[in-house]
Amino acid sequence: MTRAFDRRLGDDFLATVPRSPGVYRVLDAAGTVVYVGKAINLRRRLSQYRNATRRKRHRKMRAIVESAARVEFEPCETELDAELRETALIQSLTPKWNVVGAFSFLYPSIGLGAPEPRHALFAFSTTPSERPELDWHGAYRSRDITGGAFFALMRLLALIGHREKTPRRPKGTRTWTFEVRRLPSSWRDDWSAFLRGESRAALSSLAIALLDKPRARRDAGTVQEDLSALDRFYRFEAQKLASARHLVGDARWPIPQIDRDALFIRARALRSAASGHSHG
């Protein structure tokens, strides 16, 4: 890999790279950015590409070097600045070799609406602007966990209320909308608190209500799976988002899709700093 690195970037390339925190962009022969990375020490990080071996764990590094026509680097003041800058570049450039964090526009949100006190609208979307009249919650990161929980909730609410059989998803949109009638009057406050990661009372109340429903008892295995999907969402999406917002002091709600990853980066940096101080 050393020969390929030097041939593509030059024998003296590493000598021009500072030892500071920063980000680097790998460009192909057409000038397209194919990878964005960050480093505490730019020179040390880029030297790892030069010294990549044939081992499986270095496969991505080898592919990036093989794509490279040049590498641009941008020093940053701190490691946190570098991580935030990397996130912004990945979101704006969506490079070929970056997957994590590249598609924040696909982060899902859940919307609530109440045409009448016991008439609920629930929506799942990656484009909440399609239904601006709803109260949106999120943005969450995992479409699998969030979507799994949302559709599980729709199945469970159909057992205790009256759900319209056909959900609405107009052609060309990314928003699923369900209507559910005959819910308890407190449904909106309860599920809003759940989606904010502030209280799981809505889930507990739902589980108790299902005990009185013969259909729920007949399909106990499926019901338990759906309740577990909601619990998983609460722990891994709603609560973690609430914790990050609290730690950073971000009062916005919902959190814009493009800002979600930066929020978690800042929260992680604050936790790390607090842990360092506590052990100091």
Side-chain angles (χ1 to χ4, degrees):
M1 198 80 263
T2 299
R3 289 182 179 178
F5 185 95
D6 291 345
R7 185 172 62 251
R8 291 177 177 277
L9 301 175
D11 296 344
D12 300 326
F13 170 73
L14 286 175
T16 69
V17 181
R19 300 180 186 275
S20 68
V23 295
Y24 57 95
R25 297 179 288 272
V26 180
L27 294 84
D28 63 15
T32 301
V33 176
V34 296
Y35 186 74
V36 172
K38 68 177 185 304
I40 299 174
N41 182 317
L42 280 167
R43 184 180 298 184
R44 183 170 63 210
R45 176 56 177 161
L46 289 170
S47 70
Q48 292 173 351
Y49 286 86
R50 186 174 186 269
N51 298 322
T53 67
R54 302 299 300 178
R55 294 178 184 176
K56 183 177 180 180
R57 64 190 179 93
H58 290 163
R59 181 184 301 167
K60 184 175 178 180
M61 278 188 172
R62 296 197 306 271
I64 290 171
V65 171
E66 288 167 3
S67 299
R70 73 178 192 274
V71 174
E72 299 174 345
F73 52 85
E74 180 182 337
C76 297
E77 288 291 326
T78 66
E79 179 183 358
L80 175 58
D81 291 335
E83 192 164 7
L84 291 170
R85 178 63 174 153
E86 178 200 38
T87 296
L89 287 171
I90 290 172
Q91 289 175 342
S92 63
L93 299 172
T94 60
K96 170 184 176 181
W97 292 106
N98 292 99
V99 176
V100 177
F103 304 106
S104 63
F105 55 86
L106 294 179
Y107 292 173
S109 297
I110 294 176
L112 302 180
E116 301 171 13
R118 299 187 64 187
H119 179 185
L121 294 179
F122 290 85
F124 175 82
S125 184
T126 56
T127 313
S129 58
E130 292 175 347
R131 296 295 303 268
E133 77 279 12
L134 300 180
D135 291 332
W136 287 96
H137 300 266
Y140 308 107
R141 184 160 192 177
S142 171
R143 295 182 73 195
D144 287 341
I145 292 177
T146 306
F150 177 82
F151 290 103
L153 178 60
M154 296 304 99
R155 290 189 291 270
L156 294 175
L157 290 181
L159 297 174
I160 66 168
H162 176 73
R163 197 194 80 189
E164 299 296 329
K165 291 184 178 180
T166 305
R168 295 201 302 268
R169 187 189 180 197
K171 186 176 180 179
T173 72
R174 296 179 179 177
T175 303
W176 288 94
T177 304
F178 289 79
E179 294 186 47
V180 187
R181 300 176 185 271
R182 303 175 191 168
L183 291 181
S185 58
S186 64
W187 74 268
R188 187 167 186 167
D189 290 342
D190 292 345
W191 285 107
S192 290
F194 179 85
L195 295 171
R196 285 175 173 266
E198 296 171 352
S199 170
R200 43 187 306 125
L203 183 57
S204 299
S205 297
L206 176 60
I208 293 171
L210 288 166
L211 293 175
D212 294 331
K213 302 300 178 181
R215 282 192 301 161
R217 293 197 297 271
R218 284 197 303 270
D219 298 329
T222 300
V223 166
Q224 185 56 55
E225 288 179 4
D226 285 344
L227 289 171
S228 295
L230 284 161
D231 178 70
R232 184 165 55 251
F233 162 81
Y234 186 77
R235 289 184 292 117
F236 291 106
E237 289 289 338
Q239 272 193 323
K240 287 188 175 182
L241 182 54
S243 176
R245 290 176 61 232
H246 176 74
L247 191 58
V248 173
D250 194 331
R252 293 177 299 167
W253 192 255
I255 296 295
Q257 292 164 305
I258 198 168
D259 292 340
R260 185 201 177 280
D261 288 346
L263 171 69
F264 275 76
I265 289 169
R266 291 190 174 94
R268 187 168 62 246
L270 288 170
R271 290 191 187 98
S272 179
S275 176
H277 290 320
S278 66
H279 288 89

